[in-house]
C-alpha cells in the first residue's frame, strides 16, 4: 500500500508542472539610429564662435562627429569645405563643442551638428547666428603736396584698420571735379592690401587743366569703406606750347622754332627755347628769351659742340607758371679737322690742321671790336682787340692782338673758351708741350724754359720771307701750323715785332695773378721759347 501511494504523488506533481506551462512568440529586435542635436551657439566674436551639440544615440557606432557651417542654409559636409570640425569617434551618447574659426565679421552663418558612420551622415537642425560687426577703418586725407597742369600728388594716413579685422583690403584716394564728396565709384587710385597703419601717397594724372578737384582718402576693410575729409586743389593752367622744328644744324649752332598752342587763360610773359645735353631741359638750363605774346617764335641756339647730341624744348610762361613742348633731340654736325671752319659769331672762316691728336686753327683768331691801343681792353661784355699799328688791315692778315685777361674773358680757368668760337678753347701750356713733342721735341726740353728743342719752331713757321724777315731760320712749316710774325703790343700803346716774332698766349698761370706762360717764335731761330710774362 505504501509503495502505491508514492507512485501516485509523482504522477500528481508531473501533472501539475504540465498544467503550469504556457505558450509564447518571438519579437524582432528594433534597429538603433544615430541621433544628434545642436544645443546652442556661444562665445560669438568678430571672427569666431563656439557651437554646442549632443549625441543622443550612437546607433551602430559613430566614426566622426562635429559641426559644419556656411553662410548658406543647411550646410553639409559636401558644401561647407574646410568650415567643419572633426572630433573623432563616439562610443556613447555625449555632449560636445566646436570652435568655429575663422569667420568674417558681420556675417550671418548657418551651423549644424553632425554624426557620421561609413556613408551614413545625420545632421541636426539648422541654427543661425551672426558674428559681431567689425569697425570701419580710420583714415585721414593729407596735404596736396604737388599739383601741376594735368596731375597731382596727395598724402593720407591710415590711423587704424578697424576693430575686429586684421587687414585693409584696399586703400587710396578718390577724386572728382563734380562732387565735393567723391567715393570709390568715382576716379580712384588702388594701392592694394595692407595690415598696418601709417602714411601713404597717391599720384594721379589725366586731369583737366585749370580745374577745381575734390579729393578724399579711403580705406576698405571687411565691414566697408571709410573716407577721410575732402581737400581741394586746382590744376594749373600753364601755357601749352609746341617745339615746332629744328633746322640749320651746324657744328656749333641750330635754329629751333616754337608755337604757342594755348595761352592758358593768361598773357604770355616769356617764351623761347631751352636746351641741354640731357633730356627734358627747363629754365634752369640754357635758354633763349624771345619776348612775350602768343605769336610763334624762332631761336638761334649758339655755342654748341660739334658732333654732340642735344635736347631742346620750347617753353612759354604766364602768371601761373611755365609750360614746355615735347623734348626734341638733335645732333650737331661733326667737325672734320683740316677743313675750313666758320665762326658763327661774325662769319669769318679759318683754316684748321690736325697735328697729332690735336686740332688747331692754322690762322690767328680775328674776332671782336677793334679799339685803339692807347685804351686798355676791359671787362665790358664786348670782346675787344688791337690791330697792329691800329690798322684794321693788319688784323685781317695777322689776326687780333689780345691782352691776356681779355683773351681769357676774365677767368683764370685753364683751357677756358675765352674769346674762342664755340667748341674751341685757349690752349694750355701742357697742350703746347704736346704740340711741340709731336714735332720731335723731347719731354725734358718741353718742360724747360727759354729756347728749347732744335727745329720744332721752324716746323711751325710759315716758309719764305714774304712775312718773316730773312733769314726765317729753319722755317719748313711741315706741321701746316703756318705761324705768322704778327708782333705784339705794349702797355704804352706801342707795337713791335711784326716780321720778326710771333707771341702765343697759353691759358696757364705761372705765378698766380701776375705771370702767364707763353710761346715765342723768332725769324732768327728754329727753336721755340717758353717764357712767362705779365
Amino acid at each position: 500500500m505504501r509503495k502505491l501511494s508514492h507512485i501516485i504523488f509523482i504522477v500528481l506533481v508531473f501533472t501539475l508542472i504540465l498544467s503550469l506551462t504556457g505558450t509564447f512568440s518571438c519579437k524582432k529586435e528594433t534597429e538603433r539610429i544615430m541621433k544628434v542635436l545642436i544645443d546652442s551657439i556661444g562665445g560669438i566674436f568678430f571672427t569666431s564662435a563656439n557651437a554646442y551639440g549632443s549625441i543622443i544615440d550612437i546607433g551602430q557606432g559613430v566614426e566622426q562627429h562635429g559641426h559644419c557651417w556656411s553662410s548658406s542654409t543647411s550646410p553639409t559636409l559636401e558644401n561647407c569645405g574646410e568650415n567643419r570640425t572633426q572630433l573623432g569617434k563616439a562610443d556613447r551618447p555625449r555632449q560636445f563643442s566646436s570652435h568655429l574659426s575663422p569667420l568674417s565679421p558681420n556675417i550671418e552663418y548657418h551651423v549644424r551638428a553632425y554624426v557620421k558612420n561609413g556613408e551614413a551622415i545625420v545632421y541636426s537642425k539648422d541654427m543661425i547666428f551672426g558674428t559681431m560687426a567689425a569697425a570701419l577703418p580710420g583714415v585721414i586725407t593729407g596735404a596736396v603736396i604737388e599739383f601741376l597742369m594735368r596731375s597731382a600728388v596727395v598724402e593720407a594716413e591710415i590711423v587704424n584698420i578697424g576693430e575686429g579685422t586684421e587687414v585693409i583690403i584696399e586703400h587710396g584716394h578718390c577724386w572728382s571735379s563734380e562732387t565735393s564728396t567723391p567715393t570709390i565709384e568715382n576716379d580712384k587710385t588702388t594701392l592694394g592690401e595692407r595690415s598696418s597703419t601709417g602714411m601713404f601717397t597717391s599720384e594721379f594724372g589725366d586731369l583737366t587743366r585749370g580745374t577745381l578737384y575734390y579729393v578724399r582718402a579711403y580705406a576698405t576693410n571687411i565691414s566697408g569703406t571709410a573716407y577721410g575729409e575732402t581737400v581741394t586743389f586746382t590744376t594749373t593752367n600753364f601755357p601749352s606750347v609746341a617745339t615746332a622744328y629744328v633746322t640749320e644744324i651746324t657744328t656749333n649752332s641750330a635754329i629751333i622754332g616754337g608755337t604757342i598752342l594755348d595761352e592758358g587763360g593768361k598773357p604770355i610773359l616769356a617764351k623761347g627755347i631751352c636746351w641741354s645735353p640731357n633730356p627734358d631741359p627747363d629754365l634752369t638750363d640754357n635758354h633763349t628769351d624771345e619776348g612775350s605774346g602768343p605769336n610763334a617764335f624762332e631761336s638761334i641756339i649758339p655755342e654748341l659742340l660739334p658732333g654732340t647730341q642735344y635736347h631742346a624744348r620750347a617753353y612759354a610762361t604766364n602768371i601761373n607758371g611755365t609750360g614746355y613742348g615735347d623734348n626734341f633731340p638733335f645732333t650737331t654736325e661733326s667737325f672734320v679737322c683740316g677743313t675750313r671752319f666758320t665762326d658763327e659769331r661774325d662769319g669769318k672762316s679759318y683754316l684748321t690742321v690736325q697735328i697729332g691728336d690735336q686740332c688747331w686753327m692754322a690762322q690767328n683768331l680775328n674776332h671782336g671790336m677793334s679799339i685803339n691801343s692807347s685804351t686798355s681792353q676791359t671787362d665790358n661784355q664786348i670782346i675787344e682787340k688791337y690791330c697792329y699799328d691800329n690798322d684794321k688791315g693788319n688784323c685781317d692778315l695777322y689776326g687780333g692782338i689780345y691782352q691776356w685777361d681779355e683773351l681769357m674773358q676774365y677767368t683764370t680757368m685753364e683751357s677756358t673758351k675765352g674769346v674762342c668760337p664755340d667748341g674751341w678753347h685757349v690752349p694750355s701750356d701742357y697742350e703746347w708741350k704736346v704740340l711741340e713733342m709731336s714735332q720731335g721735341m723731347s719731354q725734358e726740353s718741353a718742360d724747360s724754359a727759354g729756347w728749347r728743342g732744335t727745329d720744332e719752331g721752324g716746323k711751325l713757321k710759315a716758309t719764305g720771307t714774304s712775312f718773316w724777315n730773312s733769314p726765317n731760320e729753319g722755317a719748313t712749316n711741315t706741321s701746316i701750323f703756318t705761324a705768322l710774325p704778327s708782333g705784339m703790343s705794349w702797355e704804352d700803346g706801342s707795337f713791335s715785332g711784326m716780321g720778326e716774332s710771333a707771341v702765343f698766349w697759353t691759358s696757364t698761370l705761372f705765378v698766380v695773378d701776375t705771370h702767364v706762360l707763353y710761346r715765342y717764335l723768332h725769324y732768327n731761330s728754329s727753336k721755340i721759347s717758353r717764357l712767362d710774362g705779365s
Side-chain angles (χ1 to χ4, degrees):
M1 274 307 283
R2 190 173 293 177
K3 184 175 180 180
L4 179 61
S5 299
H6 179 70
I7 292 171
I8 294 170
F9 175 78
I10 292 173
V11 172
L12 290 172
V13 170
F14 179 75
T15 302
L16 179 63
I17 292 172
L18 289 175
S19 66
L20 292 175
T21 301
T23 62
F24 68 93
S25 64
C26 293
K27 179 182 179 182
K28 183 176 178 64
E29 291 188 0
T30 303
E31 183 179 357
R32 296 175 61 190
I33 301 173
M34 296 183 293
K35 294 181 180 180
V36 64
L37 300 177
I38 185 165
D39 298 329
S40 63
I41 305 294
I44 299 171
F45 200 56
F46 298 107
T47 59
S48 65
N50 295 322
Y52 302 92
S54 298
I55 298 175
I56 304 302
D57 195 333
I58 62 172
Q60 301 304 310
V62 172
E63 295 177 351
Q64 191 62 264
H65 70 292
H67 292 86
C68 61
W69 65 94
S70 170
S71 59
S72 301
T73 304
S74 301
T76 67
L77 295 183
E78 286 72 28
N79 62 29
C80 69
E82 295 183 357
N83 295 333
R84 70 175 75 178
T85 60
Q86 299 184 89
L87 304 179
K89 296 180 179 180
D91 56 4
R92 58 184 175 80
R94 60 185 290 266
Q95 291 183 321
F96 61 94
S97 64
S98 296
H99 184 65
L100 314 185
S101 178
L103 308 178
S104 296
N106 199 29
I107 297 294
E108 182 178 85
Y109 284 96
H110 298 259
V111 186
R112 293 203 294 179
Y114 74 91
V115 287
K116 181 177 184 295
N117 187 8
E119 297 298 321
I121 304 172
V122 175
Y123 296 94
S124 72
K125 68 177 181 178
D126 190 337
M127 184 169 284
I128 302 172
F129 76 97
T131 50
M132 294 175 61
L136 290 173
V139 62
I140 298 173
T141 309
V144 181
I145 59 177
E146 180 180 304
F147 56 93
L148 300 173
M149 192 185 309
R150 297 187 182 277
S151 65
V153 180
V154 186
E155 294 179 320
E157 181 180 8
I158 294 176
V159 294
N160 66 76
I161 63 175
E163 182 184 7
T165 184
E166 297 179 353
V167 68
I168 298 292
I169 299 171
E170 187 60 83
H171 69 293
H173 288 82
C174 49
W175 67 92
S176 174
S177 61
E178 298 177 353
T179 174
S180 61
T181 54
T183 70
I184 56 175
E185 300 302 316
N186 300 111
D187 290 321
K188 67 178 186 295
T189 60
T190 53
L191 303 182
E193 182 179 290
R194 65 183 291 165
S195 58
S196 62
T197 60
M199 299 292 296
F200 66 90
T201 300
S202 290
E203 181 175 356
F204 42 92
D206 198 25
L207 305 179
T208 303
R209 294 169 34 179
T211 301
L212 174 65
Y213 281 93
Y214 303 90
V215 184
R216 293 200 295 176
Y218 76 90
T220 302
N221 66 12
I222 191 66
S223 288
T225 300
Y227 296 93
E229 63 277 17
T230 300
V231 298
T232 64
F233 68 91
T234 301
T235 50
T236 54
N237 201 10
F238 300 160
S240 178
V241 59
T243 310
Y245 55 84
V246 178
T247 187
E248 297 189 31
I249 301 172
T250 68
T251 57
N252 57 10
S253 67
I255 296 177
I256 303 179
T259 301
I260 305 297
L261 303 177
D262 186 341
E263 292 184 85
K266 300 291 182 180
I268 300 296
L269 304 177
K271 60 189 177 184
I273 302 294
C274 306
W275 74 94
S276 169
N278 301 314
D280 299 326
D282 56 30
L283 291 179
T284 63
D285 297 301
N286 293 314
H287 60 277
T288 62
D289 186 351
E290 303 299 341
S292 58
N295 298 328
F297 55 92
E298 185 176 83
S299 294
I300 299 175
I301 310 302
E303 301 183 5
L304 305 178
L305 296 176
T308 302
Q309 185 181 67
Y310 288 91
H311 297 265
R313 291 199 297 176
Y315 77 90
T317 301
N318 65 14
I319 196 171
N320 293 323
T322 301
Y324 295 93
D326 291 336
N327 185 73
F328 205 122
F330 68 96
T331 302
T332 52
E333 293 182 358
S334 297
F335 175 71
V336 179
C337 196
T339 61
R340 185 168 286 275
F341 167 77
T342 299
D343 187 342
E344 298 291 338
R345 298 172 297 180
D346 55 19
K348 293 184 174 69
S349 64
Y350 300 91
L351 292 171
T352 62
V353 58
Q354 185 81 31
I355 304 176
D357 293 331
Q358 299 175 326
C359 186
W360 292 79
M361 285 186 178
Q363 292 175 266
N364 291 334
L365 183 70
N366 180 26
H367 178 70
M369 183 178 71
S370 176
I371 64 173
N372 192 281
S373 60
S374 62
T375 303
S376 291
Q377 298 169 3
T378 58
D379 185 9
N380 58 4
Q381 309 303 312
I382 299 173
I383 296 177
E384 297 171 327
K385 66 185 178 183
Y386 300 138
C387 297
Y388 197 93
D389 283 341
N390 295 312
D391 181 350
K392 292 183 179 180
N394 284 328
C395 277
D396 294 336
L397 184 59
Y398 293 101
I401 297 175
Y402 302 89
Q403 293 176 331
W404 189 80
D405 283 335
E406 183 73 13
L407 174 73
M408 297 287 288
Q409 284 296 281
Y410 303 91
T411 179
T412 58
M413 183 174 66
E414 193 172 56
S415 298
T416 188
K417 174 179 179 287
V419 299
C420 294
D422 296 337
W424 297 80
H425 66 265
V426 182
S428 66
D429 178 62
Y430 169 78
E431 289 169 323
W432 265 95
K433 289 180 184 179
V434 172
L435 169 63
E436 293 161 339
M437 289 189 290
S438 74
Q439 302 307 303
M441 187 179 292
S442 69
Q443 182 73 64
E444 182 180 3
S445 293
D447 291 338
S448 62
W451 291 106
R452 303 125 67 239
T454 56
D455 61 350
E456 295 81 10
K459 293 178 180 179
L460 299 183
K461 293 190 295 182
T463 58
T465 56
S466 297
F467 300 102
W468 288 93
N469 291 349
S470 181
N472 196 12
E473 187 68 33
T476 61
N477 198 27
T478 55
S479 67
I480 318 298
F481 187 78
T482 319
L484 298 181
S486 51
M488 67 196 79
S489 65
W490 299 92
E491 287 184 276
D492 62 3
S494 64
F495 297 89
S496 68
M498 180 176 283
E500 298 180 353
S501 62
V503 181
F504 296 96
W505 286 122
T506 76
S507 56
T508 304
L509 284 169
F510 183 69
V511 179
V512 176
D513 292 334
T514 60
H515 278 211
V516 180
L517 290 169
Y518 65 91
R519 295 303 191 273
Y520 182 79
L521 302 178
H522 197 264
Y523 75 99
N524 216 17
S525 176
S526 62
K527 298 182 178 182
I528 302 174
S529 184
R530 178 174 179 255
L531 302 168
D532 63 277
S534 62

